[in-house]
PDB file of all heavy atoms in Angstrom:
ATOM      1  N   THR A   2     -10.244 -32.745 -14.022  1.00 55.00           N
ATOM      2  CA  THR A   2     -10.477 -31.468 -13.344  1.00 55.00           C
ATOM      3  C   THR A   2      -9.208 -30.989 -12.656  1.00 55.00           C
ATOM      4  O   THR A   2      -8.380 -31.791 -12.198  1.00 55.00           O
ATOM      5  CB  THR A   2     -11.597 -31.611 -12.306  1.00 55.00           C
ATOM      6  OG1 THR A   2     -11.215 -32.595 -11.343  1.00 55.00           O
ATOM      7  CG2 THR A   2     -12.899 -32.012 -12.967  1.00 55.00           C
ATOM      8  N   GLU A   3      -9.060 -29.680 -12.596  1.00 58.00           N
ATOM      9  CA  GLU A   3      -7.927 -29.080 -11.913  1.00 58.00           C
ATOM     10  C   GLU A   3      -8.055 -29.298 -10.408  1.00 58.00           C
ATOM     11  O   GLU A   3      -9.162 -29.231  -9.868  1.00 58.00           O
ATOM     12  CB  GLU A   3      -7.857 -27.585 -12.204  1.00 58.00           C
ATOM     13  CG  GLU A   3      -7.511 -27.237 -13.633  1.00 58.00           C
ATOM     14  CD  GLU A   3      -6.045 -27.494 -13.945  1.00 58.00           C
ATOM     15  OE1 GLU A   3      -5.225 -27.433 -13.007  1.00 58.00           O
ATOM     16  OE2 GLU A   3      -5.734 -27.779 -15.115  1.00 58.00           O
ATOM     17  N   PRO A   4      -6.935 -29.580  -9.694  1.00 68.00           N
ATOM     18  CA  PRO A   4      -7.017 -29.721  -8.241  1.00 68.00           C
ATOM     19  C   PRO A   4      -7.451 -28.407  -7.596  1.00 68.00           C
ATOM     20  O   PRO A   4      -7.091 -27.323  -8.077  1.00 68.00           O
ATOM     21  CB  PRO A   4      -5.582 -30.093  -7.838  1.00 68.00           C
ATOM     22  CG  PRO A   4      -4.718 -29.619  -8.974  1.00 68.00           C
ATOM     23  CD  PRO A   4      -5.569 -29.755 -10.210  1.00 68.00           C
ATOM     24  N   GLU A   5      -8.225 -28.515  -6.556  1.00 84.00           N
ATOM     25  CA  GLU A   5      -8.734 -27.320  -5.887  1.00 84.00           C
ATOM     26  C   GLU A   5      -7.593 -26.595  -5.177  1.00 84.00           C
ATOM     27  O   GLU A   5      -6.768 -27.208  -4.490  1.00 84.00           O
ATOM     28  CB  GLU A   5      -9.805 -27.720  -4.878  1.00 84.00           C
ATOM     29  CG  GLU A   5     -10.469 -26.530  -4.203  1.00 84.00           C
ATOM     30  CD  GLU A   5     -11.580 -26.951  -3.268  1.00 84.00           C
ATOM     31  OE1 GLU A   5     -11.953 -28.140  -3.294  1.00 84.00           O
ATOM     32  OE2 GLU A   5     -12.067 -26.084  -2.529  1.00 84.00           O
ATOM     33  N   VAL A   6      -7.536 -25.290  -5.370  1.00 90.00           N
ATOM     34  CA  VAL A   6      -6.514 -24.478  -4.718  1.00 90.00           C
ATOM     35  C   VAL A   6      -6.959 -24.203  -3.291  1.00 90.00           C
ATOM     36  O   VAL A   6      -8.076 -23.717  -3.069  1.00 90.00           O
ATOM     37  CB  VAL A   6      -6.302 -23.152  -5.474  1.00 90.00           C
ATOM     38  CG1 VAL A   6      -5.316 -22.260  -4.729  1.00 90.00           C
ATOM     39  CG2 VAL A   6      -5.817 -23.417  -6.889  1.00 90.00           C
ATOM     40  N   PRO A   7      -6.115 -24.508  -2.302  1.00 95.00           N
ATOM     41  CA  PRO A   7      -6.516 -24.241  -0.922  1.00 95.00           C
ATOM     42  C   PRO A   7      -6.706 -22.750  -0.676  1.00 95.00           C
ATOM     43  O   PRO A   7      -6.087 -21.908  -1.346  1.00 95.00           O
ATOM     44  CB  PRO A   7      -5.363 -24.810  -0.093  1.00 95.00           C
ATOM     45  CG  PRO A   7      -4.208 -24.875  -1.030  1.00 95.00           C
ATOM     46  CD  PRO A   7      -4.779 -25.114  -2.394  1.00 95.00           C
ATOM     47  N   THR A   8      -7.549 -22.443   0.290  1.00 97.00           N
ATOM     48  CA  THR A   8      -7.854 -21.040   0.569  1.00 97.00           C
ATOM     49  C   THR A   8      -6.603 -20.258   0.923  1.00 97.00           C
ATOM     50  O   THR A   8      -6.443 -19.093   0.517  1.00 97.00           O
ATOM     51  CB  THR A   8      -8.885 -20.950   1.704  1.00 97.00           C
ATOM     52  OG1 THR A   8     -10.070 -21.651   1.316  1.00 97.00           O
ATOM     53  CG2 THR A   8      -9.244 -19.500   1.997  1.00 97.00           C
ATOM     54  N   TRP A   9      -5.700 -20.893   1.686  1.00 97.00           N
ATOM     55  CA  TRP A   9      -4.503 -20.150   2.087  1.00 97.00           C
ATOM     56  C   TRP A   9      -3.684 -19.736   0.862  1.00 97.00           C
ATOM     57  O   TRP A   9      -3.108 -18.644   0.830  1.00 97.00           O
ATOM     58  CB  TRP A   9      -3.654 -20.958   3.068  1.00 97.00           C
ATOM     59  CG  TRP A   9      -2.942 -22.167   2.507  1.00 97.00           C
ATOM     60  CD1 TRP A   9      -3.308 -23.471   2.639  1.00 97.00           C
ATOM     61  CD2 TRP A   9      -1.721 -22.178   1.743  1.00 97.00           C
ATOM     62  NE1 TRP A   9      -2.419 -24.299   2.014  1.00 97.00           N
ATOM     63  CE2 TRP A   9      -1.421 -23.534   1.456  1.00 97.00           C
ATOM     64  CE3 TRP A   9      -0.858 -21.202   1.278  1.00 97.00           C
ATOM     65  CZ2 TRP A   9      -0.305 -23.926   0.723  1.00 97.00           C
ATOM     66  CZ3 TRP A   9       0.264 -21.576   0.541  1.00 97.00           C
ATOM     67  CH2 TRP A   9       0.533 -22.928   0.277  1.00 97.00           C
ATOM     68  N   GLU A  10      -3.654 -20.592  -0.158  1.00 97.00           N
ATOM     69  CA  GLU A  10      -2.903 -20.252  -1.359  1.00 97.00           C
ATOM     70  C   GLU A  10      -3.584 -19.130  -2.140  1.00 97.00           C
ATOM     71  O   GLU A  10      -2.916 -18.269  -2.742  1.00 97.00           O
ATOM     72  CB  GLU A  10      -2.729 -21.485  -2.241  1.00 97.00           C
ATOM     73  CG  GLU A  10      -1.842 -21.245  -3.448  1.00 97.00           C
ATOM     74  CD  GLU A  10      -1.526 -22.513  -4.214  1.00 97.00           C
ATOM     75  OE1 GLU A  10      -1.520 -23.607  -3.617  1.00 97.00           O
ATOM     76  OE2 GLU A  10      -1.267 -22.399  -5.432  1.00 97.00           O
ATOM     77  N   GLU A  11      -4.921 -19.111  -2.124  1.00 97.00           N
ATOM     78  CA  GLU A  11      -5.638 -18.026  -2.781  1.00 97.00           C
ATOM     79  C   GLU A  11      -5.245 -16.678  -2.178  1.00 97.00           C
ATOM     80  O   GLU A  11      -5.169 -15.673  -2.893  1.00 97.00           O
ATOM     81  CB  GLU A  11      -7.147 -18.238  -2.652  1.00 97.00           C
ATOM     82  CG  GLU A  11      -7.699 -19.392  -3.464  1.00 97.00           C
ATOM     83  CD  GLU A  11      -9.206 -19.503  -3.332  1.00 97.00           C
ATOM     84  OE1 GLU A  11      -9.855 -18.480  -3.012  1.00 97.00           O
ATOM     85  OE2 GLU A  11      -9.737 -20.601  -3.528  1.00 97.00           O
ATOM     86  N   ARG A  12      -5.022 -16.645  -0.870  1.00 97.00           N
ATOM     87  CA  ARG A  12      -4.621 -15.380  -0.232  1.00 97.00           C
ATOM     88  C   ARG A  12      -3.252 -14.926  -0.724  1.00 97.00           C
ATOM     89  O   ARG A  12      -3.029 -13.743  -0.982  1.00 97.00           O
ATOM     90  CB  ARG A  12      -4.609 -15.537   1.292  1.00 97.00           C
ATOM     91  CG  ARG A  12      -5.973 -15.798   1.902  1.00 97.00           C
ATOM     92  CD  ARG A  12      -5.922 -15.631   3.409  1.00 97.00           C
ATOM     93  NE  ARG A  12      -7.141 -16.161   4.017  1.00 97.00           N
ATOM     94  CZ  ARG A  12      -7.261 -17.386   4.518  1.00 97.00           C
ATOM     95  NH1 ARG A  12      -6.207 -18.195   4.500  1.00 97.00           N
ATOM     96  NH2 ARG A  12      -8.394 -17.788   5.030  1.00 97.00           N
ATOM     97  N   PHE A  13      -2.320 -15.865  -0.841  1.00 97.00           N
ATOM     98  CA  PHE A  13      -0.990 -15.501  -1.320  1.00 97.00           C
ATOM     99  C   PHE A  13      -1.017 -15.052  -2.775  1.00 97.00           C
ATOM    100  O   PHE A  13      -0.210 -14.216  -3.190  1.00 97.00           O
ATOM    101  CB  PHE A  13      -0.035 -16.692  -1.171  1.00 97.00           C
ATOM    102  CG  PHE A  13       0.575 -16.828   0.195  1.00 97.00           C
ATOM    103  CD1 PHE A  13       0.041 -17.701   1.124  1.00 97.00           C
ATOM    104  CD2 PHE A  13       1.686 -16.082   0.556  1.00 97.00           C
ATOM    105  CE1 PHE A  13       0.599 -17.839   2.376  1.00 97.00           C
ATOM    106  CE2 PHE A  13       2.265 -16.204   1.812  1.00 97.00           C
ATOM    107  CZ  PHE A  13       1.712 -17.098   2.727  1.00 97.00           C
ATOM    108  N   ARG A  14      -1.931 -15.621  -3.549  1.00 97.00           N
ATOM    109  CA  ARG A  14      -1.975 -15.312  -4.971  1.00 97.00           C
ATOM    110  C   ARG A  14      -2.934 -14.166  -5.315  1.00 97.00           C
ATOM    111  O   ARG A  14      -3.023 -13.760  -6.473  1.00 97.00           O
ATOM    112  CB  ARG A  14      -2.366 -16.565  -5.762  1.00 97.00           C
ATOM    113  CG  ARG A  14      -1.329 -17.677  -5.673  1.00 97.00           C
ATOM    114  CD  ARG A  14      -1.590 -18.754  -6.694  1.00 97.00           C
ATOM    115  NE  ARG A  14      -0.644 -19.850  -6.588  1.00 97.00           N
ATOM    116  CZ  ARG A  14       0.599 -19.826  -7.071  1.00 97.00           C
ATOM    117  NH1 ARG A  14       1.043 -18.744  -7.692  1.00 97.00           N
ATOM    118  NH2 ARG A  14       1.380 -20.871  -6.941  1.00 97.00           N
ATOM    119  N   ALA A  15      -3.651 -13.673  -4.331  1.00 96.00           N
ATOM    120  CA  ALA A  15      -4.558 -12.554  -4.583  1.00 96.00           C
ATOM    121  C   ALA A  15      -3.764 -11.312  -5.006  1.00 96.00           C
ATOM    122  O   ALA A  15      -2.598 -11.142  -4.643  1.00 96.00           O
ATOM    123  CB  ALA A  15      -5.373 -12.245  -3.337  1.00 96.00           C
ATOM    124  N   GLY A  16      -4.383 -10.445  -5.770  1.00 94.00           N
ATOM    125  CA  GLY A  16      -3.715  -9.230  -6.218  1.00 94.00           C
ATOM    126  C   GLY A  16      -3.306  -8.350  -5.045  1.00 94.00           C
ATOM    127  O   GLY A  16      -3.989  -8.279  -4.022  1.00 94.00           O
ATOM    128  N   ARG A  17      -2.174  -7.696  -5.195  1.00 94.00           N
ATOM    129  CA  ARG A  17      -1.673  -6.772  -4.175  1.00 94.00           C
ATOM    130  C   ARG A  17      -1.437  -5.401  -4.807  1.00 94.00           C
ATOM    131  O   ARG A  17      -1.017  -5.304  -5.957  1.00 94.00           O
ATOM    132  CB  ARG A  17      -0.361  -7.282  -3.571  1.00 94.00           C
ATOM    133  CG  ARG A  17      -0.503  -8.512  -2.704  1.00 94.00           C
ATOM    134  CD  ARG A  17       0.856  -8.978  -2.210  1.00 94.00           C
ATOM    135  NE  ARG A  17       1.632  -9.616  -3.270  1.00 94.00           N
ATOM    136  CZ  ARG A  17       2.953  -9.758  -3.245  1.00 94.00           C
ATOM    137  NH1 ARG A  17       3.658  -9.237  -2.249  1.00 94.00           N
ATOM    138  NH2 ARG A  17       3.580 -10.373  -4.239  1.00 94.00           N
ATOM    139  N   VAL A  18      -1.697  -4.370  -4.044  1.00 96.00           N
ATOM    140  CA  VAL A  18      -1.443  -3.009  -4.519  1.00 96.00           C
ATOM    141  C   VAL A  18      -1.075  -2.145  -3.322  1.00 96.00           C
ATOM    142  O   VAL A  18      -1.621  -2.312  -2.223  1.00 96.00           O
ATOM    143  CB  VAL A  18      -2.674  -2.441  -5.263  1.00 96.00           C
ATOM    144  CG1 VAL A  18      -3.869  -2.293  -4.348  1.00 96.00           C
ATOM    145  CG2 VAL A  18      -2.352  -1.116  -5.944  1.00 96.00           C
ATOM    146  N   GLY A  19      -0.126  -1.247  -3.517  1.00 96.00           N
ATOM    147  CA  GLY A  19       0.332  -0.392  -2.433  1.00 96.00           C
ATOM    148  C   GLY A  19      -0.322   0.982  -2.472  1.00 96.00           C
ATOM    149  O   GLY A  19      -1.252   1.244  -3.244  1.00 96.00           O
ATOM    150  N   LEU A  20       0.176   1.866  -1.634  1.00 97.00           N
ATOM    151  CA  LEU A  20      -0.312   3.245  -1.592  1.00 97.00           C
ATOM    152  C   LEU A  20       0.341   4.035  -2.723  1.00 97.00           C
ATOM    153  O   LEU A  20       1.571   4.093  -2.807  1.00 97.00           O
ATOM    154  CB  LEU A  20       0.026   3.883  -0.252  1.00 97.00           C
ATOM    155  CG  LEU A  20      -0.453   5.325  -0.054  1.00 97.00           C
ATOM    156  CD1 LEU A  20      -1.972   5.373   0.020  1.00 97.00           C
ATOM    157  CD2 LEU A  20       0.153   5.922   1.221  1.00 97.00           C
TER     158      LEU A  20
END
Side-chain angles (χ1 to χ4, degrees):
T2 60
E3 292 286 333
E5 184 177 350
V6 176
T8 301
W9 70 258
E10 186 172 333
E11 290 182 24
R12 295 193 192 96
F13 276 98
R14 295 193 182 281
R17 290 177 286 159
V18 64
L20 181 68

